[in-house]
Amino acid sequence: MPELPEVETIVRSLRNPLDLPTTDGAAVYARPGIVGRHIRSVSLLWSRSLAEPGEAEFLQRLPGQTVKAVERRGKFILLRLGADTIMIHLRMSGDLRVEGDDMPVQKHDRLLIGFTDGMRLAFNDTRKFGRVWLVRDIQSVAGGLGPEPFDEQLTGLFLYEKLHRSSRPVKNLLLDQTLIAGIGNIYSDEALHRAGLHPATPGRTIRPDQADRLLTAIRETLEEGIRRNGASIDWVYRGGDFQNHFRVYQRTGQPCPVCGTKIERLVINQRSSHFCPKCQKMVKIS
DNA sequence: CACGAGACCTGTTCGC
DNA sequence: TGCGAACAGGTCTCGT
């Protein structure tokens, strides 16, 4: 489900609902924030949603702790409690709600964290792929992640050197979280279209100027996603507007917004890739 | 080591 | 209408 812009939107709303910028046409994704709330009770409704520590320790360690800050690293949501951090990965179908603890538990709710003021945080995850960790050091879980896309240290040259080292399709490489953190299937397709690169282009054949353009395209695409509060598709994740501005993602057979050519679909790495065959021609190998 | 296929899950949509 | 196949914002693990 959520990629970086959706996770960022959720994180901002958990931090402070007023942080959410409103854009034209974008639905407001409002919910009460949780910073400053004290944990009173925890109930784990599906034990496999908990990655670490064991269930008994998890349930015992949380009550009494306070949510001091909410942050994001890649697609991970970080609830900072002090020495401890709750890490949440929503994977394909996870979502979070903040609501009164008198509300009915919903289908597919996996974890409920109750606060002393009568509110609670609910982790709902239809497909059960999502995971929650309680750790002292987030590096033990997220240590392998590549740089954040907006990290100033990340340059086109860095990206070029990474891409150049592999013959795998560039689409594949963008989904590799150890290369750059936070990009998923939607935003990789959108960024590749913006950069004019065919998704199957072997990383090895990408030139430095193309890597520069790709990094710019990634940043612009993610920025637009965040500005529109992320993308809401089907029943998963509510409140975003970016789905109404896709250039290629899930637009097979529809016209390219740039040239009008019909968008095509290709399966790469067992994932759908959507692209414009005219704007995104394969790099020539000379 | 790098890479691809399969596994993990439930729900919706599409074709016959 | 029914029913199976294909597909869905992700990432591990296990072969080769």
Side-chain angles (χ1 to χ4, degrees), chain A residues 170-171 174 187-201 210 213-214 247-249 256-259 261-264 266 273-283:
Chain A
V170 61
K171 166 66 186 279
L174 290 185
Y187 294 90
S188 57
D189 278 8
E190 294 295 307
L192 287 168
H193 179 267
R194 204 184 267 259
L197 284 171
H198 190 289
T201 308
Q210 293 176 312
R213 231 194 313 162
L214 179 56
R247 297 169 172 227
V248 292
Y249 184 76
C256 166
V258 172
C259 73
T261 304
K262 283 189 175 181
I263 300 302
E264 294 182 10
L266 193 65
S273 282
H274 311 79
F275 67 101
C276 168
K278 188 175 171 192
C279 296
Q280 299 171 263
K281 293 200 187 298
M282 192 81 83
V283 178

Side-chain angles (χ1 to χ4, degrees), chain A residues 147 153-168 170 173 178-180 202-212 214-215:
Chain A
Q153 310 275 20
L154 175 59
T155 63
L157 183 61
F158 173 94
L159 182 57
Y160 167 74
E161 285 172 347
K162 290 285 189 183
L163 296 176
H164 199 69
R165 225 169 277 165
S166 172
S167 53
R168 301 165 74 198
V170 61
L173 297 169
T178 69
L179 213 157
I180 300 179
R204 201 177 290 296
T205 68
I206 290 176
R207 291 180 262 108
D209 63 297
Q210 293 176 312
D212 270 339
L214 179 56
L215 180 56

Side-chain angles (χ1 to χ4, degrees), chain A residues 114-131:
Chain A
F115 301 109
T116 53
D117 63 355
M119 299 297 285
R120 78 173 171 220
L121 178 69
F123 170 54
N124 185 281
D125 182 26
T126 304
R127 293 177 70 179
K128 299 177 176 172
F129 289 165
R131 288 294 179 270

